[in-house]
Amino acid sequence: MLAFATALFTARYLTLDPEVFLDQQRAVYLAHRAPLALHVGGGVLAVLLGPWQFLPRLRERRPGLHRLTGRLYLLAVLATGTGGLLLAPHGLVGPIAPIGFTALALLLLISSALAWRSARRRDLVRHRAWATRSYALILAAATLRIWLPVMDLAGVPFDQAYAAVGWTCWLINLVVAEHLIGRFPRPAAAPPVG
């Protein structure tokens, strides 16, 4: 539900209406509308498509739909990651937050590419792990929107909060993803030969 709420909240940026932009970023977004549209459009689509990829019944009963949805997710990730890489150098609270957001975009693109590669090789254990990491990184959109208000309520000045959120919005998600991956059932080992 958090993913869908985030997608709906963030989709308003696609109007490119300056009134919906964060005050501190309005000038940057107005100067970089195309990367913003790529980043937000791809992110919204990836956030919405991701949860369906983790439904076992869908994978088992409709593998073709799982593959199609996965390809659409990868295209969405490519758009949001590319837009993010183009926007990050112009981000607030440089260089701390821009470096964090650049790392997020790079890791998202890499983990998604590795998920795709392992699926192509039919290495489903690695595919599931990399797909989990990829979606954890996409969900940085949601955790960012949780952390900023929480830090504001805690009295943390905006610049400090934003610098921290540039990292915490995805690092914590990856820690949770690694915990989940560690709980995945492992395939049975092949019996010894001879």
Side-chain angles (χ1 to χ4, degrees):
M1 295 310 292
L2 180 61
F4 293 107
T6 299
L8 289 174
F9 178 78
T10 308
R12 66 195 178 110
Y13 278 68
L14 290 173
T15 66
L16 300 178
D17 177 2
E19 293 303 313
V20 301
F21 300 157
L22 188 64
D23 290 339
Q24 295 89 336
Q25 291 180 312
R26 189 170 288 133
V28 169
Y29 288 167
L30 288 172
H32 301 91
R33 290 179 188 210
L36 177 66
L38 264 178
H39 182 62
V40 173
V44 166
L45 186 58
V47 164
L48 290 173
L49 290 173
W52 302 103
Q53 293 301 93
F54 295 99
L55 297 175
R57 287 180 130 175
L58 180 67
R59 285 194 313 265
E60 293 162 10
R61 293 183 182 172
R62 306 283 307 271
L65 182 59
H66 175 75
R67 283 190 294 276
L68 174 63
T69 308
R71 289 179 183 130
L72 291 173
Y73 174 83
L74 287 173
L75 288 173
V77 162
L78 181 60
T80 199
T82 302
L85 287 173
L86 293 171
L87 287 172
H90 309 287
L92 302 172
V93 196
I96 297 169
I99 292 171
F101 289 126
T102 299
L104 167 59
L106 288 171
L107 289 172
L108 173 64
L109 293 167
I110 291 167
S111 63
S112 301
L114 291 171
W116 174 79
R117 187 177 92 179
S118 55
R120 298 283 298 163
R121 293 180 173 178
R122 304 226 185 274
D123 184 346
L124 300 184
V125 172
R126 281 196 176 92
H127 172 66
R128 186 175 179 194
W130 284 113
T132 300
R133 291 178 185 109
S134 172
Y135 196 66
L137 291 166
I138 277 292
L139 283 181
T143 51
L144 178 140
R145 283 159 182 82
I146 293 169
W147 277 110
L148 271 180
V150 165
M151 292 180 146
D152 185 47
L153 288 172
V156 178
F158 178 83
D159 283 1
Q160 291 176 9
Y162 198 79
V165 166
W167 292 88
T168 58
C169 72
W170 59 271
L171 280 170
I172 293 170
N173 292 8
L174 273 184
V175 169
V176 171
E178 291 304 322
H179 174 73
L180 292 173
I181 291 166
R183 296 175 59 134
F184 289 169
R186 300 281 179 228
V193 178

